[in-house]
Every structure is written in structure tokens, then in C-alpha cells.
Amino acid sequence: MQVKVLLCVMNRQTIGIVGGGQLGRMLTQAAQPLGFSVVVIDPGENSPATQVGATQIEADLYDKAALSKLADQSDYITVEIEHLDADALAELVKEGSVVNPAPSTIKLIQDKYLQKEFLRKAGLDVADFVKIDNYADAQKALKKFGGSMVLKTRHGAYDGRGNAVITNEIELKQAWELFKDTPLYAEELIPFTKELAVMVARSTKGEIAIYPVVETVQERNICLEVLAPAAVGKTTTAKAVKLATKTAELLEGAGVFGIEMFLTKGGKVLINEIAPRVHNSGHYTIEACVTSQFEQHIRAISGLPLGDTSLRAPAAVMINILGERNGDTFLTGLDKAEANPHTKVHIYGKSPTKIDRKMGHITSLGETVDEARQRARQARRSITI
Amino acid sequence: MQVKVLLCVMNRQTIGIVGGGQLGRMLTQAAQPLGFSVVVIDPGENSPATQVGATQIEADLYDKAALSKLADQSDYITVEIEHLDADALAELVKEGSVVNPAPSTIKLIQDKYLQKEFLRKAGLDVADFVKIDNYADAQKALKKFGGSMVLKTRHGAYDGRGNAVITNEIELKQAWELFKDTPLYAEELIPFTKELAVMVARSTKGEIAIYPVVETVQERNICLEVLAPAAVGKTTTAKAVKLATKTAELLEGAGVFGIEMFLTKGGKVLINEIAPRVHNSGHYTIEACVTSQFEQHIRAISGLPLGDTSLRAPAAVMINILGERNGDTFLTGLDKAEANPHTKVHIYGKSPTKIDRKMGHITSLGETVDEARQRARQARRSITI
């Protein structure tokens, strides 16, 4: 019996993921059919990834002992979140671990100001921005940007936390108070007509694969819906694909990256933000593309060839299932939701429910985006959680 | 913390599966996105289903205490194998458990002679057969069937174990020796041109959904390949669909059933065998159909509406990855296999490898069955396990 266990450990490769939330969960589900074991670090008891068979190291993501343990157990290390100790990951690389994307990439992306600087220096289109070191800088910036701007924390922003739209001095003061002692920068407020996103994969061999350009619909700075493909012309699509490709070429390390963009009224496409990981705007790929973003990420970081990214249906719409209250998770309406044709519900196994917490998502396919959207919205209305 | 755990248990429904092999594994993977927890009974340490997040009751499938424990933990009980204690399942129903398919159906199907009797009495087309109680019966049968027949054990046959083709008295004697003291029956040897299969689902509400008619290619009585859709005419398709529908209407209880059929030289379609569960001939549905057989089974037994069974690609071919040797499992060639377009590898996490053990499968999609088959075969050739 001892021998059997030993041999099992020997011949199965293991993916180590920093973070065991819904992204870690869906990465785990994609890794298992390929024969991988998965181990995650997550502070929460019975994390979403653990529920689907990942071994969990129950620890804070910044816990160095936990990271060492992860490294000991893993053939390939990756992340499902960028808010972590990139220096500690760099240490693991020095000690011989394979970490993708590169810790340097994660570190760059962690600081949104440096991220923007990097993109601007590389000649990629971004919204204009300035560093803010003190209140006077912020006042100057507001003037420079014509009386409206977005004040952003350089670190740790997530699902809209850390962004404030400023249109006057009162709002500036309020935001200043809110972000007190946090490193900041400011961006011009882009009068965009659409928010776009492109998932792009880069393998350890430098191969690049681009997913369709999608439209993301945000509210309260949280992604509500993703429409695939985006209803934009060829020129816009080409611009978005070019930006995504260039970005993937620039960043070090392998994996899937989410590139969020603005389409301006004037028809420009600007990079808003990069996620060095699988991304909410790519969940639709599970049902809608030949290779899901999750399988693609596993392929990318483990040296497998990248898969086909093309759509398998004319259109797909993803709607997030956000918590509508605070309390124990209690799912109802699954039967009604599942009665919608070409509709798939994904529940992440989180408890408790919190307002705006991502509890799951729905993807509907259709002949048109409108058809898929109707199906997904009807399914979403059926569900309470 | 106690309260949180308690509430978690309260609000998540649990599927209990008797058996935790590859079918239990893929059922688990289908149940999780719908918000279900899964618990399985399996005698093997760290069963394939356990590896993907099912809680395991490590026990023999016939262990009554284990079945009681499963019942305590489950909202819906089902099976991934028909070789189990159907009477014990019937007891659980009496005690208030929801078991699907009905234990009576499983019991009927367990005895292949009674299964055939049932089908014949219902007017469904089956190969001619007779009960064998002694050697003289067997000799009489061989004469009746014109000198060739298949001698079959009534119980416990699986992947060809328990079937013997008899074309002369010597073979009869050998088989008689082999099957000594086992209840037997004999069937005429059907000179079939193709073996067909249809997966059919019946919900707790009596709703029926039929999957495409596929061709199965068997060798050594083990399924090697499944071709979807089968290259048969409309008349044959209609016959197969009619047989599958009638069968699903006749059987008690909900779930997915696999109906294996023969297409004879004369163009007749005969039912060969029924599996009261998801089936190897339906694995292709994961990538090829709107709703996989695994999700469909979970929907069927849990009172959810049935999903769309139509093909999402013109053609799909599934090839089993059978063990080619006895020893520790060691997977190679995944990179080459995954380089094939529209190809997905499923490894079941079994160890050790044994000759003809089902270690995984490959599904390739294509514009034609030939294209899909070439892709799947090329991928299969790349892999050693």
C-alpha cells in the first residue's frame, strides 16, 4: 500500500495555485482531465478549489512557509490573483521552481501606476495619467484633466474597490480622505462608448493565442455581463487584437492574461488594465470556445501546446451571479434557470453570501448576442442565492 | 464556526453515488457547477471521483452500513454501476431515500436474462435467446441457433467478461467449464453490420430526451471507439430512436440509460443490452453535445429540467485510452495529443495501469466523422499510460 501511494505521487504532475477562489476552482476543473493534481494556498476553510478536489494549504497568500510548501508539492506554480507576495514568488524561482506568469510581471501589474508607465513606454495606447504624491498633485491633475478624472490606488484595487471618479473639489476631498496614506495616481476620465476585453494566452514557448474581443458591462465597477463577440467593427477589433498581442509579447512568463480596454467616442482603443491571470471576462470561453481560458492557462504554464480559441457558437453572454444580501448561502431557482436553452449555471460553492460577492455565473449561447443575453438574463432572474 | 458549517450542510444538496470510478468522477464534475456536493461509496483508496472533490465512503459497494451512511448524507442517490445490492437500495427507498433509477430497474437489468425477457414481452426487438439450466439446454440451444450462439452469464458481466461465442461443441465445453455454476442464458449470434448505441434520459417528471444515434466499435468485447453520429440511414436512426424511447418509457425511475443495439445485415435494429446509468458510449457528449450525459443524469435525478441533447459539432469521435500493460501509471505524450485540433484528453486518475483498464478517453470533433476519427486516433497514438 505504501508503495502504491509513493508511485502515485511520482507519476502525476502537480499544478500549484496561489489562491483557491472561483478562478482556482475552474483552473482545477480544467487541470484534472489532463491528469494533473492541484494544490492551492487559500486562507478560507474548504475553498472553492478545495471543494473540487484541490489539496489545500490553509494559509494566508503572503505566508512564506505556505509558499515553500506549495513549491515543494508543485511542478508548475501559478496564481489566480495578483495581490500576493511577488518577491516571495521570485525567491521560489531562484530556488528552482517554475512560476508562471513571471513574478516580475505580477509585480509590475500589482502597481497600476507602474503598469501604465510600462505600457505607455512600450508605445501602447492608454488613458493619460499622472502620479499623485500629495493633495496638491491631485488638485493639479484635476485641472490638467479638465475638471474630471479617476483617482486610483496604485495597489490592491479589485472589483472597483480603490477607484473614485472625481468631478469636483468636494469629491476630491472625500476620496482623499477615503484613500488616506495610500499611494495613488490619477487618470483622465475616458468618455468611452464600450468597455472591451481580450483574453490572450502565451505559452512557455512564446506561442500566442488570442480569444475573441468581447464587451464587458460594468456597474459599481464590477463586471455584470460579458457579451461575445463585441458588437464592434473590424477596425476596432483589429486595434484590440493588436494591443492584446503586443501586451502578451511584452510581458514575461507564460499564462493567460486579461486585457481590459476602453473604446472611446472617437474610436480609439485604450488599454485600461491587465490581469496576469484568467479573468471574469473569459468565463464565457468554457461553453463558447474550443478551449476554455482555464484549460488554456494550464496548457500555457505546463508546456503543452496552446488550444484553439475560436468560438463554437455564434454568440455567448456571461452574467455574474452576484450576492444580493449578506447571510448564509441559499440557492433557489436552479430548475427554472436550467430550463433556458443553451444555458449553463456555474455555482462556486461560496458561503456566506455577501452583497456583490461573485457567487457564480451563467453562460448562455445563442444565434445572436441578443438571444444569448435574453436567455442568460432570464436564467439570472430565476436564481436567488 | 460551528454555525457556519451547520448552515453549509443545510443549504447545499448532496448527490450520493454508489461507485466512484470514472463515471462517478465525471458525474461529480457535472454536479459541482450546479451547486451540488457529491459523496460516493468506493472500495478503492482515493477513487477517481474522490480526486475531483467527492467525499468518499471507503467501503465495498455491497456494504449495508456504507449504504446507510450514503443515504444519511444524500438528497439524491444514484449509481454508476449496476453490479450492486439492488435490494439494499430498495430498502433505502422504503426508509425515505430518493434513489434513481429505481432499484427495481437496476435489479431487472442485473439479470440479463430477465432484462431480455422484459424487453421481448414489451414487444421490443431483441436477439432470440433461451435460458440455460444445464449442459443439455446449452447443446439444444446451439442446435436451435444453427450451430453458433453467444453463451452469457446472467449476472455480473462487464466489458466482455461473461460472454463466450460458441461455434462448436469444443468451444461449448470450454465455456461451460469457464462459467461453471454460473446462471447462464444463450443468444443467437447476430451477424450485425454495426453496433449502435443511444443514450436516453428520463427525468423524475417523465420527460424524455434522446441523444444522437452513435456507432460503437468493440474489440475483445470492450468499447474502443464511438462514432457520432452513426453512419446509418434515416430508417435505421428512426428505429433506434424508437427503441430507445420505448425502453426509457418502460423502465422505472429517472436517469440516463445507455441502450446498446445491433444493426443486422437485414437492416433490423435489435436491443443488445441496457445500462441503467451513464455509459462509455456517451462520453463524447461532454464536448459534442449541448448537455453532456453526466450533467443530464444529474438534472434527471434531481428534478431539474432535462437539457438539450443536440450535437454542437457536425461529428465527434471518442477513443478509449485502455491500459496497454500492467504496472504503475505513467502518462506520456499529452503534449503531442493536445496538439491535435479540437481534441480533448480525459485522464481518470487511476493507478495502477492494467491491460485493457479504462485509464481515460479522448474526444475529437470534426466536420466529418472521418476527420474527427483521424484526430482522435492520432492523439491516442501519441499517448502512453
Side-chain angles (χ1 to χ4, degrees):
Chain A
M1 197 53 95
Q2 273 275 315
V3 172
K4 183 181 148 202
V5 170
L6 180 67
L7 290 166
C8 269
V9 171
M10 274 176 60
N11 65 40
R12 186 181 308 193
Q13 289 199 300
T14 298
I15 309 273
I17 309 175
V18 184
Q22 70 267 23
L23 301 180
R25 179 181 172 104
M26 291 185 275
L27 284 169
T28 300
Q29 288 168 324
Q32 288 162 338
L34 297 174
F36 293 107
S37 295
V38 177
V39 53
V40 301
I41 300 181
D42 198 275
E45 195 187 334
N46 198 23
S47 78
T50 314
Q51 291 170 31
V52 300
T55 304
Q56 183 176 350
I57 299 167
E58 200 173 317
D60 191 88
L61 303 189
Y62 291 83
D63 183 326
K64 282 186 182 158
L67 286 166
S68 284
K69 203 171 162 189
L70 187 81
D72 285 344
Q73 295 178 21
S74 305
D75 297 282
Y76 307 102
I77 294 177
T78 191
V79 305
E80 63 131 38
I81 186 166
E82 55 276 27
H83 304 309
L84 43 73
D85 188 343
D87 293 331
L89 287 184
E91 276 303 311
L92 296 184
V93 174
K94 274 188 199 155
E95 289 160 14
S97 284
V98 178
V99 181
N100 276 299
S104 58
T105 298
I106 300 170
K107 191 159 184 162
L108 175 74
I109 285 172
Q110 281 175 342
D111 185 331
K112 283 161 87 175
Y113 173 72
L114 293 183
Q115 183 192 138
K116 282 269 157 71
E117 273 276 282
F118 174 82
L119 293 170
R120 185 154 64 183
K121 276 189 186 154
L124 297 176
D125 295 329
V126 294
D128 197 10
F129 63 95
V130 291
K131 198 164 78 163
I132 305 288
D133 285 330
N134 52 51
Y135 193 72
D137 283 352
Q139 285 174 310
K140 241 185 282 173
L142 192 59
K143 198 168 284 173
K144 171 183 157 79
F145 292 133
S148 63
M149 66 178 189
V150 190
L151 196 64
K152 295 187 170 185
T153 60
R154 288 173 58 167
H155 304 277
Y158 197 67
D159 283 347
R161 292 184 284 271
N163 286 4
V165 173
I166 312 290
T167 57
N168 56 49
E169 182 84 22
I170 296 167
E171 287 174 351
L172 180 59
K173 266 184 193 148
Q174 285 171 342
W176 196 258
E177 204 50 41
L178 181 69
F179 293 147
K180 197 159 56 183
D181 303 326
T182 314
L184 299 171
Y185 76 107
E187 260 181 41
E188 65 174 323
L189 187 64
I190 298 291
F192 60 80
T193 56
K194 281 184 200 302
E195 290 189 75
L196 305 177
V198 182
M199 299 305 305
V200 53
R202 193 167 95 145
S203 75
T204 52
K205 283 146 193 143
E207 194 189 352
I208 284 177
I210 308 264
Y211 282 90
V213 179
V214 300
E215 180 178 351
T216 65
V217 182
Q218 324 265 339
E219 231 175 71
R220 308 183 296 286
N221 283 300
I222 299 173
C223 176
L224 291 191
E225 295 185 351
V226 172
L227 320 180
V232 293
K234 275 186 188 172
T235 320
T236 301
T237 301
K239 283 179 190 170
V241 167
K242 198 174 166 190
L243 281 178
T245 309
K246 277 196 174 177
T247 306
E249 283 167 356
L250 282 169
L251 298 172
E252 285 170 25
V256 162
F257 299 90
I259 323 285
E260 295 183 75
M261 303 172 188
F262 293 128
L263 173 61
T264 71
K265 280 185 182 157
K268 273 192 194 170
V269 181
L270 307 175
I271 295 183
N272 174 29
E273 208 170 305
I274 301 168
R277 53 171 169 80
V278 288
H279 190 255
N280 200 166
S281 64
H283 291 358
Y284 77 95
T285 60
I286 297 176
E287 287 82 17
C289 293
V290 175
T291 311
S292 81
Q293 66 165 343
F294 301 102
E295 182 183 332
Q296 193 76 296
H297 188 72
I298 299 299
R299 286 173 175 248
I301 65 165
S302 66
L304 294 173
L306 296 182
D308 187 337
T309 55
S310 48
L311 283 169
R312 294 186 63 195
V317 169
M318 190 283 318
I319 296 189
N320 275 329
I321 301 174
L322 302 175
E324 292 158 340
R325 59 187 175 80
N326 297 316
D328 313 314
T329 302
F330 193 84
L331 175 67
T332 70
L334 188 64
D335 51 342
K336 279 187 189 151
E338 289 274 295
N340 288 282
H342 296 263
T343 293
K344 188 127 182 177
V345 178
H346 297 256
I347 301 297
Y348 302 148
K350 293 179 181 175
S351 191
T353 289
K354 292 179 198 166
I355 286 174
D356 282 348
R357 188 177 196 195
K358 289 176 179 170
M359 305 301 290
H361 76 265
I362 293 163
T363 299
S364 293
L365 306 179
E367 289 302 311
T368 63
V369 166
D370 277 351
E371 186 184 51
R373 197 176 200 175
Q374 274 169 27
R375 286 171 174 168
R377 285 185 170 177
Q378 194 177 47
R380 177 64 194 91
R381 278 194 299 272
S382 309
I383 285 179
T384 66
I385 192 160
Chain B
M1 198 53 94
Q2 273 276 314
V3 173
K4 182 179 148 206
V5 171
L6 180 66
L7 290 165
C8 268
V9 172
M10 275 176 60
N11 65 40
R12 186 180 306 191
Q13 289 199 300
T14 298
I15 309 272
I17 309 176
V18 184
Q22 70 267 23
L23 302 180
R25 178 181 172 106
M26 292 185 274
L27 285 168
T28 300
Q29 287 168 324
Q32 288 162 339
L34 297 173
F36 293 106
S37 296
V38 177
V39 54
V40 301
I41 301 181
D42 197 275
E45 196 187 335
N46 196 25
S47 78
T50 313
Q51 292 171 28
V52 300
T55 305
Q56 181 175 352
I57 300 167
E58 200 173 318
D60 191 89
L61 304 188
Y62 291 82
D63 182 327
K64 281 187 181 155
L67 286 165
S68 286
K69 203 170 164 191
L70 187 82
D72 285 345
Q73 295 178 22
S74 306
D75 298 281
Y76 307 102
I77 294 177
T78 190
V79 305
E80 62 131 37
I81 186 167
E82 56 276 28
H83 304 309
L84 43 72
D85 188 343
D87 292 330
L89 288 182
E91 276 303 311
L92 296 183
V93 173
K94 274 188 198 154
E95 290 160 13
S97 284
V98 178
V99 181
N100 275 299
S104 59
T105 297
I106 300 170
K107 192 160 181 161
L108 176 73
I109 286 172
Q110 281 176 342
D111 185 332
K112 283 161 86 177
Y113 173 73
L114 291 184
Q115 184 194 136
K116 282 268 158 70
E117 274 276 282
F118 173 83
L119 293 170
R120 184 156 65 183
K121 274 189 189 156
L124 297 175
D125 295 330
V126 293
D128 196 10
F129 62 97
V130 289
K131 199 164 78 162
I132 304 288
D133 285 331
N134 50 53
Y135 193 73
D137 284 351
Q139 286 174 307
K140 241 185 283 173
L142 192 59
K143 198 169 284 173
K144 170 184 157 79
F145 293 133
S148 63
M149 67 177 188
V150 190
L151 195 63
K152 296 186 170 186
T153 60
R154 288 174 59 167
H155 305 277
Y158 197 68
D159 283 347
R161 290 184 285 271
N163 285 4
V165 173
I166 311 290
T167 57
N168 55 51
E169 182 84 21
I170 296 167
E171 286 172 352
L172 180 60
K173 267 184 194 151
Q174 284 170 343
W176 195 258
E177 204 50 41
L178 181 70
F179 294 147
K180 198 159 55 182
D181 302 326
T182 315
L184 299 171
Y185 76 108
E187 261 182 39
E188 63 174 325
L189 186 64
I190 298 291
F192 58 82
T193 56
K194 282 183 201 300
E195 289 189 77
L196 304 178
V198 182
M199 299 305 305
V200 54
R202 193 168 95 147
S203 74
T204 52
K205 283 145 193 146
E207 195 189 351
I208 284 176
I210 308 263
Y211 282 89
V213 179
V214 300
E215 179 178 351
T216 64
V217 181
Q218 326 265 337
E219 231 175 71
R220 308 182 296 284
N221 283 300
I222 300 172
C223 176
L224 291 191
E225 295 186 351
V226 173
L227 320 179
V232 292
K234 276 187 188 171
T235 318
T236 300
T237 301
K239 283 179 190 168
V241 167
K242 198 175 165 190
L243 281 178
T245 310
K246 278 195 174 179
T247 306
E249 283 166 357
L250 282 170
L251 297 173
E252 285 169 28
V256 161
F257 299 90
I259 323 283
E260 296 182 76
M261 303 171 189
F262 293 127
L263 173 61
T264 70
K265 282 187 180 153
K268 273 193 196 171
V269 180
L270 307 175
I271 296 183
N272 173 28
E273 208 171 307
I274 301 168
R277 52 169 170 82
V278 289
H279 190 256
N280 200 166
S281 64
H283 291 358
Y284 77 95
T285 60
I286 296 177
E287 287 81 17
C289 292
V290 176
T291 311
S292 80
Q293 67 165 345
F294 301 102
E295 181 182 335
Q296 193 76 295
H297 187 73
I298 299 298
R299 286 173 177 246
I301 64 165
S302 67
L304 294 172
L306 295 183
D308 187 336
T309 55
S310 48
L311 283 169
R312 295 185 62 195
V317 168
M318 191 282 318
I319 296 190
N320 276 329
I321 302 174
L322 302 175
E324 293 158 339
R325 58 186 175 81
N326 297 315
D328 314 315
T329 301
F330 193 86
L331 176 67
T332 71
L334 188 63
D335 51 343
K336 279 189 189 149
E338 289 275 294
N340 288 282
H342 296 263
T343 293
K344 187 128 181 176
V345 178
H346 297 256
I347 300 296
Y348 302 147
K350 293 179 182 176
S351 192
T353 290
K354 291 179 200 166
I355 287 174
D356 282 347
R357 189 178 194 194
K358 289 176 178 170
M359 304 303 290
H361 75 267
I362 293 163
T363 299
S364 293
L365 305 179
E367 289 303 310
T368 63
V369 166
D370 276 351
E371 186 183 52
R373 197 176 199 176
Q374 273 169 27
R375 287 171 173 168
R377 284 185 171 179
Q378 194 176 46
R380 178 63 193 92
R381 278 193 298 270
S382 309
I383 284 178
T384 65
I385 192 162

